[in-house]
Amino acid sequence: MGKFPPKIAQGLCLCFFPFVSFRFNLANSLRGVALALLVGGLGLWLATGAHLGFTQTSVVTMKRDEITGIDYPERRPGFVAGIEFPLGTAGAAIVLALLSLAADRRNPAA
Amino acid sequence: MKIHHLARLPLLVATLGLSAQAAPLTFDFKDPKGVNNVQFSLDAPLESITGTGTGISGSVTFDPAQPAATKGKIILDTKSLTVGNPMMADHLRGGNWLDVANHPAITFEAVSLTNVRTQGNVVNAEVAGKLTVKGVTKDIKVPVSFTHLPDKLGARVNDPKVKGDLLVLRANFTINRADFGIQPGKNTDKVAETIQLSLSIAGAAPKA
């Protein structure tokens, strides 16, 4: 078993568990927000059914009129997060992560 | 002589009864229950865009004894067309697409019926008519099924005192948006030019 490079371990910890060894500086705050966005966007998308299309603010359920036999859509308000949610939040998280790296370079002592 | 006339009376009554039954009925398609609907679907790269329209009105004159003589006009209020995504719905109703502010209705006027086949209370036929979308009128042929439901109006409105018939129309067909001046040749990478339409509507003909 080779020794795990401490710098990589530190980086992974910082990325995935920023609050474990949280220090109040700009870079860590940006990473925290990035992680929250990533988890929040993905979680919301999964929780509302992992819809691969665009976001829907109304939901259709099909019903049948007994006398005429007509199948008709009943539309009611409802929120289904679209694919733009995880993609958008992942994009924003990447931007924030890059900004956090820039903040690290500006102030390496922090 | 008088007896002879009296003997003919039942025949006369029966004839009148038959002619009254065979008279064409005018069905009003303004549906108080809000069940009448048209569903549309367009292919798009990410998902099929599907939507509904419920603002249907119009009338159809249908004679069960002579279905080939059916005439009528169905009107769809374009403001009632909607999809699940609000931004998409705004685009759909906007000036570049259906322009509902200037074109408040989509109409179909039946001109003639061909290939009429009757099976029980169901009539299937090819309906030739004029479809007007966004101010452009085209002659099209649509396969339509007519289901005549005699004396079912009372059951539908939950009032047995109300007498009358119902006529259910069903049609599935496709149109090309370019034929009606809707973004012809544009945005074909985002939305298909072919629109699948599915119509399910019921009309009522009350009896006095």
Side-chain angles (χ1 to χ4, degrees), chain A residues 54-57 65 68-69 71, chain B residues 35 37 47 84-86 156 170:
Chain A
F54 290 108
T55 296
Q56 312 280 307
T57 55
D65 183 62
T68 60
D71 291 320
Chain B
V35 164
N37 72 89
E47 60 178 337
N85 183 280
R156 183 136 200 264
R170 290 186 178 88

Side-chain angles (χ1 to χ4, degrees), chain B residues 32-203:
Chain B
K33 290 188 84 177
V35 164
N36 286 351
N37 72 89
V38 59
Q39 295 178 60
F40 60 91
S41 173
L42 300 89
D43 278 338
L46 200 57
E47 60 178 337
S48 275
I49 297 167
T50 56
T52 53
T54 51
I56 289 164
S57 60
S59 65
V60 170
T61 304
F62 177 81
D63 184 346
Q66 279 187 304
T70 301
K71 293 274 186 290
K73 188 176 183 178
I74 298 297
I75 302 154
L76 171 68
D77 179 0
T78 50
K79 287 192 183 82
S80 76
L81 288 166
T82 193
V83 291
N85 183 280
M87 193 187 287
M88 223 180 263
D90 286 344
H91 285 177
L92 173 75
R93 298 187 199 114
N96 287 336
W97 293 87
L98 285 176
D99 192 13
V100 302
N102 294 310
H103 302 284
I106 291 172
T107 63
F108 179 75
E109 190 167 3
V111 175
S112 65
L113 270 71
T114 53
N115 196 17
V116 179
R117 290 145 288 142
T118 304
Q119 198 171 21
N121 64 338
V122 180
V123 175
N124 289 293
E126 291 277 326
V127 179
K130 293 180 183 301
L131 179 67
T132 304
V133 182
K134 208 182 176 184
V136 179
T137 302
K138 293 272 173 191
D139 290 321
I140 63 163
K141 271 190 173 181
V142 181
V144 180
S145 87
F146 301 81
T147 307
H148 181 221
L149 303 171
D151 303 319
K152 287 286 184 185
L153 181 57
R156 183 136 200 264
V157 296
N158 292 322
D159 186 354
K161 287 180 208 154
V162 177
K163 304 292 177 196
D165 295 2
L166 296 172
L167 182 68
V168 180
L169 266 61
R170 290 186 178 88
N172 292 298
F173 59 105
T174 58
I175 59 168
N176 194 319
R177 63 181 168 89
D179 291 345
F180 297 92
I182 303 168
Q183 300 265 312
K186 290 181 189 168
N187 294 312
T188 50
D189 56 331
K190 292 178 188 162
V191 185
E193 288 213 313
T194 306
I195 305 168
Q196 282 94 42
L197 294 164
S198 177
L199 183 81
S200 301
I201 56 176

